[in-house]
Amino acid sequence: MSRIRQQNVLAAQWTPDGAALGTPDLTVADNQIFGENVFSQAVQRQRLPKDVYKRLSQTLAKGEALDTTLADAVALAMKEWALEKGATHYAHVFQPLTGLTAEKHDSFYAPTGEGTALASFSGKELIQAEPDASSFPTGGIRATFEARGYTAWDPTSPAFILENPNGALLCIPTAFVSWTGEALDHKIPLLRSMDALSRSASRALKLFGKDVGRVFTTVGPEQEYFLIDEQYYFERPDLVITGRTLFGAKPPKGQELDDHYFGSIPERVLACMLEAERELARLGIPIKTRHNEVAPAQYEIAPIFENSNVGSDHQQLTMQVLQNVARRYGLVCLLHEKPFAGINGSGKHNNWSMGTDEGENLLDPGDTPHENLQFLFFCTAVIQAVNRHQGLLRASIASAGQDHRLGANEAPPAIISIFLGDELEKLFGAIEAGTAGQSTPESFLGLGTPVLPPLPMHGGDRNRTSPFAFTGNKFEFRALGSSMSLGLPNTVLNTIVAEAIDELASELESTLATGGTLEDALRPIIQRSYAANKQIVFGGDGYSDDWHDEAARRGLLNLRATPDALPYLIDPHTIAAFEAYGVLNERELHARYEVFLEQYVTKLNIEAETAAALARTMLLPAAVRYKTELLAAEEPELASETGERIASFLEVIRALERVNLKENHPEDDPLEHARYMHDVVFPAMGAVREVADRLEKEVADDLWPLPKYSEILFIK
Ligand code: ADP
Ligand code: MG
C-alpha cells in the first residue's frame, strides 16, 4: 500500500467504528457484508436516541465512567439489535491469563410467570457481570484478597454477534478484574499501557509544536497456522491432547523443495480461507492478505492494522474463527508454535506503531525536515526502550511452545536485537559520530531540503532473521508465538516506549528551555541515546552462530528458554517502569510471573504423560507385534534386531516415567520446578521420541498406529 493510502486507512482505524471500511483491499462482496455483525458506531448512531449517542461518545472520548441511565439506554438498543440478528443469549467475553478467550452465556429471556418469557437486558447487565471465575489463574491475587472477580464492559471495543447454526450470541468485550481492582486479564494492562503511551507521546509532540487529543498504538498481526485433515488429527492423540505431535519421523520429502511458499493454494484450503474471511469481514475484521507459508500445509493470514485494543480483540476472534471454520471443511487448524518437529513452526508478526487521532503515523519518516526530526525522536525512543528492556520483551513472548522455535533457525533468535535497515543505521551512525551534514546522508539537519534519504518500505534487503525490525513506517516484533494473545507483548512495548519517550522529552524540554532551535537541541540527545543503546542494533544474519558470539561480546541477553526469560517480568526495572506508568503493580506482575511458570510446568507435564502413555500403549505394542510376526515368518535376525530396539525403547520410556513421577518434581519453588521440566523432563521425552521415530521407520507400515508426517502434511 502506498504511504498516502496507508495514512488514509490509518485515520479510519482508530475508532472501533465500521469505518475501517475504507479498506481498499477488500473485495466488493466483502464490503457489502463488512461489519454487519458488529454493534459499530454507525449502528449506534442510527439506533441510539441522539442525545444518548452524543453523551456516550463524549463519555468515551473523555474516558469517564458511564452512568446507569446512559448504560440502560445503550443496553436497550444493543438488545434490540441483537434480537433482530437472532441472538438469544449474551456473553461477557474476556481474556484471562491463560491467553485464551473465556465467555459465560446468559439468556436474554426470563420467564414472566404467565407461561411466557420476556427478553430483558439492563444497563447493569451490560456493564458488569460476575463469572464463576474461580478456575481462572490469578497468580494468588484473589486468594489473598476477595475471592471474586468481575467482568466490566469495554465500550471501546465493539460488541458483536457470533453465529452458530442453531442460534446466535451477543458478545460483549469485557475486562476481567478483581474486586480490589487488580487486573486478572490481558486487556486491562493493555488499555492502561495505551493511555500511558498516549500521555507521553502527546507531551513530546508539544515540543514539535503539535497539540493532539490522543495518540494510539496500532497493531497488525500476521498469523501463521497449519491446516490438516481432521481424520489424521483424530488419529493422533498427541495432537488432540497437546496441540503438537510428540512423535513422527522426518518424511522423505520435507520442506527442502521450498515449493509450498507462495505456491497456489489447494482448493479445499482456499474454500476454507474464503469462508473464514467472510465470517471475519462480517465481524468487522479487515483481513488483507493470505498466502502459503514455508512449511507444507502452513498458511498465513493478516488483517489491516487497528488500534492495539481492538486489534488484539480481533486477533483472538480470528484464531477462534479459523478453528471453527476449518472443521466445516474436514480440516483442523493448528495454532501451536511447533506442531511438527523438523518442519518450520508458526509465529505471529506483531507490526506496531503509534499514531495521532488525526491519523499521523509517528514512525513514518515523513518528507520534510521537521517531520524527519520528529520521526528520529520517536525512533530513538524505541531503540532506547528495546535495549533497556530486552529481557522483558523476551519474557513477554515466552511459552512452552516458543521454546521449540526461538533460535531454531526458522524463527528469530532468543536474542532481542533491532534491524533498522542500511540507510537508517547509517544515518544514526552519522548523527552519533557528529558527521551528519558532512557525509552521508548529506543534508541531515540541513534546512529546506528533505533530510532523510527515502527509506525503502518493502524490498529484498528486508532482514527476515531479526526479531524486531523497522519496516518503513512501523516496527515488526517478529518473535511472537502463533497461539499467543497480543496483549502482553503490546502492553510491554507501549509501556517501555512511553518511559523512553518521557525521558527523551524531559531532556529535550530542558535543553529547549536554554534557547536554541529544535534541531540543535535534539542532535545531542539522539547522539547520546544512540551511543548508549546501539548495541541492540544489528543488521546481519540473526540465525548465524557468529551472531551468538557477537551478541555475547556486546553483552546482550540470550534467554534461550522460558524459565530463563520469565524472571524478567519481576525484574526491578520492569516493576519500576510498570508502576510508574500505572500499567501493572508489583503484585500484578508477580501474579503473571507465577501463572506463566505454572502454565509452563503444566503443559510440559501433560506432554510428558501423553508421550509416555502413547509410547507404552500404542507404539511399544506395535513393535512387539512386529517382532512376533518376524518370528512367525522365521526371520530370527530381523526379529532380534527389533527385539534390541524394543529393549532400548522400554528403557527410555521407564526413564521418562521416572523423572515425571510427582514425587520427583521440585514443587515448592515454581521457578525451580519450571527449570526441572525444561532440563530433565523435556530431554527425557526427546529420548523416547528418538527411539520411537526409529521404530516408525522399521516397523511394518500396516502395524504402525499413528498417521505419519508424510500423510498428515502432504494430503490436502
Ligand atoms: P509486509 O507484508 O511487507 O510485512 P504490510 O504493509 O503488508 O507489510 O503489513 C503487514 C502488516 O503490518 C499488516 O497487518 C498491516 O496492517 C500492518 N501494518 C501496516 N502499517 C501499520 C502500522 N502503522 N501499525 C501497525 N501495523 C501496521
Ligand atoms: Mg511482515
Side-chain angles (χ1 to χ4, degrees), residues 222 349 351 462 464 474 476 478:
E222 301 164 59
H349 289 181
N351 293 275
R462 169 127 14 135
R464 299 224 158 258
K474 61 186 189 282
E476 193 169 332
R478 298 214 182 95

Side-chain angles (χ1 to χ4, degrees), residues 255-304:
Q255 62 192 54
E256 298 83 3
L257 296 177
D258 271 339
D259 51 358
H260 185 68
Y261 195 50
F262 281 105
S264 73
I265 300 175
E267 184 167 270
R268 172 162 63 144
V269 169
L270 183 57
C272 170
M273 286 176 172
L274 287 167
E275 181 168 338
E277 285 169 28
R278 276 185 84 80
E279 199 144 303
L280 290 167
R282 301 174 72 203
L283 292 167
I285 303 176
I287 295 303
K288 189 180 145 209
T289 59
R290 65 171 97 96
H291 60 77
N292 287 352
E293 261 304 323
V294 176
Q298 193 185 32
Y299 308 93
E300 180 183 296
I301 184 168
I304 295 180

Side-chain angles (χ1 to χ4, degrees), residues 86-113:
T88 52
H89 291 66
Y90 67 91
H92 275 203
V93 178
F94 58 105
Q95 296 171 34
L97 296 178
T98 53
L100 305 173
T101 303
E103 57 196 30
K104 177 185 169 223
H105 301 192
D106 280 296
S107 176
F108 281 123
Y109 295 96
T112 58

Side-chain angles (χ1 to χ4, degrees), residues 6 10 218-222 288 302-305 351-353 361 458 462 473-474 476:
Q6 188 120 307
L10 185 86
T218 47
V219 69
E222 301 164 59
K288 189 180 145 209
I304 295 180
F305 64 95
N351 293 275
W352 177 91
S353 190
N361 180 351
H458 295 270
R462 169 127 14 135
N473 59 2
K474 61 186 189 282
E476 193 169 332

Side-chain angles (χ1 to χ4, degrees), residues 11-21 35 37-49 53-54 56-61 74 78 81 153 155-159 216 307 310:
Q13 298 302 323
W14 311 125
T15 62
D17 196 347
L21 330 207
N37 280 347
V38 182
F39 193 66
S40 62
Q41 273 186 8
V43 176
Q44 291 171 32
R45 198 178 302 121
Q46 193 191 336
R47 289 187 169 249
L48 289 171
Y53 176 74
K54 212 170 130 199
L56 178 66
S57 310
Q58 283 166 353
T59 315
L60 289 185
V74 177
M78 201 187 271
W81 173 79
W153 180 36
T156 62
S157 182
F216 288 87
N307 83 51
V310 175

Side-chain angles (χ1 to χ4, degrees), residues 474-495:
K474 61 186 189 282
F475 279 95
E476 193 169 332
F477 188 18
R478 298 214 182 95
L480 276 71
S482 50
S483 70
M484 289 180 58
S485 152
L486 299 180
L488 185 63
N490 286 283
T491 299
V492 167
L493 267 175
N494 297 346
T495 309

